[in-house]
Each structure stands twice: as C-alpha cells, then as structure tokens.
C-alpha cells in the first residue's frame, strides 16, 4: 500500500472531488507517486479539460496545494475552473519514497541533488501526464519547483510538451537570500559537515540529528525565532491562518537529500547557477568532462515560451534582487509572453497556503493560463 492512497483518501475525496493515484518510475529507478484531480466538484459537460501539473518546493510535498479549504487551495480552485489537475511529488517525499532496488535507509538512495530532478523526475512526470491525456500541459511551480523548470527550459528539455509555465516565488539565484536560518544553514552546508560529520545523506528536519542541528543553528543566532521555523526560513508570511499552519505542520516538512541542500548553498555562495559542484576538478571532470560544473544558462530559455512570474516583497528566499537578476536573463524574452507580478506584502509560503492567495495570485494566473490554452 503506497502512501499515495492516503492523499486522495484523506485530503481530496472528503471535499467532494474525484481523485486518482498514479505511480511512475524514473529511468534511475525512483518510484514517484502522483495524484490527479480530474475535474471540479460540479461535473463539466464532458468538455476536454486542460491538464496542468503542480510542482511543489523544497522540504514539502504535493499536499501543500490542497491544505486549505477548496475555496483557497490552488489544486481545488484549478479543478473547479475546468482544469485536469496533476500533483507531482519529487523523490524522497512521502508519496515517492520507493525505488526499484534501494531503500530510503540506504545512503545511495539519497545520492542526488536537484540536478536529478531536472534530468529524471520532471521529464518522467511530464511525460506521464502528456501521454495519459494526449495533450500539452501547463506547469505551475513554487520555489524549488520553479528552479528545476527554469533549469530544464534552459537546456531545451521539455518546453515542447508544455503550453506555458507559471512560476510562484521564482528561485534561480540565491545570493541575496535573507533568511537568517537559510544563510546560517548555507554556510554550514558548504562546510559539508552534514554529509560527513553526521554520516547522513537524507536531510529530514524531523530526524533527531537534523533537528538538533537546526536548533543549534537557531540558538546560535538571536535573529532567528526558534519557535517559528517556518518564518525563519521563508520570511514573515502575512496571510496564513492558524489552522492552515497547523495542518501544514501535520504533513510537513518532508525530507530532501543533503546533496540538494549543499547544491542550493553553492548557488547562494557563488551567485551563479550551475550543476552540482563536487568540489574538486577530478570528480567534476569525471562527471561533466570539465573541471568546473557546467552552468545553466537561463538566457537560453526560448523567448517565445509563455511565462508567468509572481514574487513577494517579504519573501526572504526568493529575494526581490535575485528575481531582478533572473528577469535580466530574460530581457530578450518576447514581452507578450512574459507576465511579471509582484505582491508587496507576501512572503514565501503565502503563495501556496495564504488564505488570500486566490485573489492575490491565482486569479491573474488562471487568466494567463486561459490566454495560453
């Protein structure tokens, strides 16, 4: 029995939506769970629905899109607006913790960084949806879900299967990241003490070693509120209500690989977006055929590909300066195909679990998606 069954049963069907579970195996053996909400609560008149894939961010899984009420959660809002909604869960998260031969307790299971999400998880998931529906799909990513999409588009991997991409809190550059916990963490991850010192390959905030590491970080810095780790990571979210935070903490955080955390820390340190740096020329050469990791060149993103970007003024992870840097890479993008929105008082989590996100974010995003049907 996979955990996936739980999501449909516990979080979708009780609200009166149909829900289906899928499993798909990546070419490197990870078995990913995917949920689908094929239609809204009110049956459509057999019309052909446009498929849309929702890709979550770091340290969470796909359930973030359905934590609030149906009137406030993006997955339900899209289903009620006539979309065929698919929810991705990347390797290592609760619905996607299986592998053809490895177990999550094996170090080898965690031997990947977000590069592998670009080369394996994303194409596998998008191919499943496009084969199953026989249509091109829309893509919505949040945070890390925007980073892997941008990296993928820069390598011209998937945009031929997509109609458009909506990027919430786009993350490409992290050099202006302001979250105190993130900055402390990045410095430590760069020492890579976690992978060696703690002898773990999985970064699971609920694991004893990792949580004591977090509280050590947190106690070493007076500017971090140890009781509100969510804000310490994301910035002060304006619009979460207590019950949505409670539900959020029931399901999240989810684990990722230490290697992904190190990779993000390298981006923070170097101010450039490259593949994972093994830290020495020999290993890089063995992996990439060159001594330094190849860059993801975001100005290679096809200029005519429809992009919707929305970011927040209080977001400490997807900082306004870093989003500007990304927009500079996109300066030759066809103006008609690039929609940029800014929400002054929103921080990182507001875009996904904020109670006002429907008015502040989703309505303009849905208008954009309809425009690119």
């Amino acid at each position: 029995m996979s955990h996936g069954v739980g999501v449909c049963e516990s979080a979708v069907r009780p609200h009166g939506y149909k829900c289906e579970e899928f499993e798909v195996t990546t070419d490197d053996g990870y078995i990913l769970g995917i949920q689908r909400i094929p239609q809204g609560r009110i049956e459509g008149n057999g019309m052909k629905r446009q498929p849309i894939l929702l890709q979550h961010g770091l340290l969470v899984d796909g359930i973030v899109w359905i934590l609030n009420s149906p009137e406030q959660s993006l997955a339900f809002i899209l289903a009620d607006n006539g979309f065929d909604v698919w929810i991705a869960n990347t390797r290592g998260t609760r619905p996607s913790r299986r592998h053809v031969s490895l177990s999550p307790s094996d170090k080898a299971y965690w031997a990947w960084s977000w590069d592998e999400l670009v080369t394996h998880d994303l194409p596998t998931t998008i191919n499943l949806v496009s084969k199953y529906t026989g249509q091109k799909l829309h893509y919505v990513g949040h945070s890390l879900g925007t980073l892997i999409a941008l990296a993928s588009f820069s390598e011209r991997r998937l945009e031929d299967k997509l109609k458009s991409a909506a990027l919430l809190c786009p993350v490409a550059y992290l050099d202006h990241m302001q979250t105190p916990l993130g900055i402390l963490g990045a410095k430590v991850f760069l020492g890579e003490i976690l992978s060696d010192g703690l002898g773990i390959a999985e970064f699971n905030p609920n694991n004893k070693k990792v949580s004591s590491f977090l509280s050590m970080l947190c106690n070493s810095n007076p500017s971090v509120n140890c009781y509100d780790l969510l804000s310490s990571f994301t910035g002060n979210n304006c619009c979460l209500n207590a019950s949505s935070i409670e539900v959020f903490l029931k399901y999240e955080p989810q684990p990722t690989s230490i290697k992904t955390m190190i990779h993000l820390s390298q981006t923070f340190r170097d101010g450039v977006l490259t593949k994972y740096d093994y830290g020495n020329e020999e290993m890089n050469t063995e992996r990439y055929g060159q001594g330094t990791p190849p860059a993801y060149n975001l100005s290679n993103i096809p200029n005519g590909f429809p992009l919707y970007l929305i970011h927040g003024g209080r977001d400490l992870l997807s900082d306004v300066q870093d989003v500007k840097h990304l927009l500079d890479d996109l300066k030759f993008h066809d103006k008609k195909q690039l929609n940029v929105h800014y929400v002054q008082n929103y921080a990182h989590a507001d875009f996904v679990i904020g109670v006002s996100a429907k008015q502040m974010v989703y309505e303009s995003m849905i208008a954009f998606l309809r425009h690119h049907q």
Side-chain angles (χ1 to χ4, degrees):
M1 198 65 133
S2 81
H3 278 313
V5 175
V7 176
C8 276
E9 283 304 328
S10 67
V12 181
R13 292 194 190 113
H15 290 298
Y17 294 83
K18 289 186 172 152
C19 186
E20 297 166 18
E21 298 284 350
F22 289 80
E23 275 187 347
V24 64
T25 305
T26 64
D27 46 9
D28 58 346
Y30 290 81
I31 300 166
L32 309 178
I34 298 170
Q35 288 81 38
R36 179 193 192 199
I37 307 174
Q39 58 189 58
R41 284 170 293 188
I42 298 144
E43 299 259 339
N45 44 9
M47 60 174 185
K48 200 169 174 151
R49 292 173 166 266
Q50 176 65 54
I52 188 162
L53 178 68
L54 306 184
Q55 175 63 61
H56 61 80
L58 187 67
L59 299 176
V60 295
D61 62 356
I63 207 164
V64 295
W65 303 109
I66 47 179
L67 287 181
N68 283 337
S69 71
E71 291 69 37
Q72 297 168 336
S73 299
L74 181 59
F76 295 134
I77 291 169
L78 287 169
D80 286 334
N81 272 279
F83 291 90
D84 173 3
V85 180
W86 296 72
I87 299 174
N89 299 278
T90 47
R91 57 182 65 191
T93 58
R94 200 175 7 222
S96 303
R97 272 182 89 78
R98 290 165 47 231
H99 186 277
V100 291
S101 60
L102 299 168
S103 134
S105 55
D106 302 329
K107 256 187 135 166
Y109 175 92
W110 298 99
W112 47 271
S113 81
W114 59 259
D115 287 332
E116 278 70 27
L117 306 181
V118 175
T119 49
H120 302 297
D121 290 30
L122 199 56
T124 302
T125 308
I126 286 176
N127 289 338
L128 169 82
V129 178
S130 92
K131 276 206 180 88
Y132 194 89
T133 60
Q135 296 186 65
K136 284 189 175 190
L137 47 151
H138 291 293
Y139 178 90
V140 178
H142 175 244
S143 187
L144 185 70
T146 68
L147 175 60
I148 59 178
L150 289 164
S152 167
F153 302 154
S154 77
E155 295 191 326
R156 302 286 172 106
R157 282 174 182 277
L158 290 166
E159 72 282 353
D160 57 326
K161 294 204 164 67
L162 299 177
K163 287 197 163 171
S164 76
L167 309 178
L168 315 181
C169 314
V171 170
Y173 301 100
L174 290 165
D175 31 320
H176 292 87
M177 171 175 74
Q178 295 182 45
T179 144
L181 204 55
I183 290 169
L184 275 175
K187 294 193 169 136
V188 176
F189 282 115
L190 288 170
E192 296 180 18
I193 59 152
L194 276 172
S195 41
D196 309 330
L198 297 181
I200 48 175
E202 173 182 7
F203 182 79
N204 183 347
N206 298 322
N207 154 311
K208 261 218 176 76
K209 279 182 173 167
V210 176
S211 62
S212 61
F213 159 72
L214 285 173
S215 45
M216 173 199 86
L217 276 186
C218 158
N219 293 320
S220 70
N221 185 331
S223 66
V224 177
N225 175 355
C226 301
Y227 298 102
D228 183 5
L229 288 179
L230 184 62
S231 298
S232 301
F233 264 125
T234 61
N236 288 322
N237 297 288
C238 64
C239 305
L240 311 187
N241 64 24
S243 66
S244 55
I245 293 178
E246 216 167 290
V247 179
F248 177 82
L249 293 173
K250 189 169 110 189
Y251 291 103
E252 312 299 352
Q254 287 288 305
T256 186
S257 66
I258 290 277
K259 223 172 140 182
T260 290
M261 300 302 274
I262 293 170
H263 194 174
L264 291 166
S265 307
Q266 292 171 350
T267 306
F268 165 71
R269 174 191 63 195
D270 300 335
V272 287
L273 194 59
T274 69
K275 295 188 192 293
Y276 186 84
D277 187 350
Y278 286 88
N280 70 49
E281 281 195 23
E282 247 163 83
M283 283 178 79
N284 282 335
T285 304
E286 192 182 315
R287 187 68 198 262
Y288 306 120
Q290 56 186 69
T292 53
Y296 288 105
N297 182 353
L298 298 185
S299 50
N300 283 341
I301 295 173
N303 291 339
F305 181 68
L307 289 174
Y308 172 97
L309 269 61
I310 188 161
H311 62 117
R314 289 193 189 171
D315 191 336
L316 297 185
L317 283 176
S318 173
D319 181 82
V320 174
Q321 294 295 110
D322 289 332
V323 174
K324 278 203 176 109
H325 185 171
L326 164 64
L327 290 171
D328 192 51
D329 282 349
L330 299 173
K331 63 175 174 283
F332 297 117
H333 210 84
D334 179 345
K335 295 283 176 282
K336 289 195 190 72
Q337 305 298 357
L338 181 62
N339 288 37
V340 183
H341 298 262
Y342 175 70
V343 187
Q344 178 69 49
N345 64 336
Y346 260 32
H348 206 67
D350 287 315
F351 288 85
V352 182
I353 50 174
V355 290
S356 57
K358 179 175 195 257
Q359 295 73 32
M360 302 304 294
V361 182
Y362 306 154
E363 286 172 358
S364 70
M365 185 184 93
I366 289 170
F368 162 85
L369 297 170
R370 292 223 161 103
H371 186 67
H372 292 284
Q373 285 300 34

